Amino acid sequence: MGKIILENIRLFGYHGCMQEEGRIGSHYTTNIEIELNINEAAIHDDLSKTVDYVHLYSLVEEEMKINSKLIEHLAKRIIQRIRKRYKEFLIKHIKVKICKENPPLQGDVDRVCVILDD
């Protein structure tokens, strides 16, 4: 077993329940962790035997462009797309963490984050 981890993918998006969030947008940071068997890729030096992290980045970028009220929903969509695209690899575990930078709160908060494990 092994893990593929993408840390601190920084993108801009329009997610939130408040009307202003849909107009103004915000910066988001996304982390993805995928646990799967990467032994064949390691032995044979073959990208086709593993999950391509370049594609994972593109997938997150595409999903970030689709507005959601909740970042929980965005995280679930990302997991579903990963599972659908890489079903042949029998992924054991996916963890997605999405943080909204400077959330519209009445206090001093750097970010609010959601972690979804599947």
Side-chain angles (χ1 to χ4, degrees), residues 3-18:
K3 291 183 180 181
I4 296 174
I5 301 171
L6 276 74
E7 291 183 338
N8 297 324
I9 301 168
R10 293 176 193 88
L11 297 167
F12 194 84
Y14 298 89
H15 309 289
C17 294
M18 298 167 66

Side-chain angles (χ1 to χ4, degrees), residues 83-99:
R83 289 229 181 259
K84 182 177 180 183
R85 169 63 178 86
Y86 291 103
K87 59 185 167 204
E88 73 271 19
F89 289 111
L90 302 174
I91 294 171
K92 182 177 179 183
H93 182 253
I94 301 174
K95 179 171 152 182
V96 174
K97 177 181 177 184
I98 301 176
C99 298

Side-chain angles (χ1 to χ4, degrees), residues 19-115:
Q19 207 172 43
E20 66 191 45
E21 293 174 298
R23 286 192 324 269
I24 298 169
S26 186
H27 292 277
Y28 294 83
T29 304
T30 303
N31 295 289
I32 298 176
E33 183 175 305
I34 299 174
E35 186 176 356
L36 71 159
N37 186 337
I38 57 174
N39 291 334
E40 287 297 312
I43 291 168
H44 300 289
D45 196 22
D46 187 348
L47 180 60
S48 71
K49 307 252 185 241
T50 189
V51 171
D52 182 350
Y53 58 78
V54 173
H55 180 262
L56 286 178
Y57 177 88
S58 296
L59 185 148
V60 172
E61 193 174 38
E62 289 169 12
E63 288 299 324
M64 189 61 70
K65 291 177 183 176
I66 302 169
N67 298 2
S68 297
K69 291 179 185 174
L70 302 175
I71 55 177
E72 292 90 331
H73 181 70
L74 175 60
K76 185 65 174 178
R77 287 198 331 257
I78 291 169
I79 288 171
Q80 289 171 333
R81 288 222 22 217
I82 292 169
R83 289 229 181 259
K84 182 177 180 183
R85 169 63 178 86
Y86 291 103
K87 59 185 167 204
E88 73 271 19
F89 289 111
L90 302 174
I91 294 171
K92 182 177 179 183
H93 182 253
I94 301 174
K95 179 171 152 182
V96 174
K97 177 181 177 184
I98 301 176
C99 298
K100 179 185 284 192
E101 307 298 327
N102 300 311
L105 300 173
Q106 297 297 323
D108 186 14
V109 178
D110 289 337
R111 70 188 57 83
V112 62
C113 301
V114 168
I115 299 173

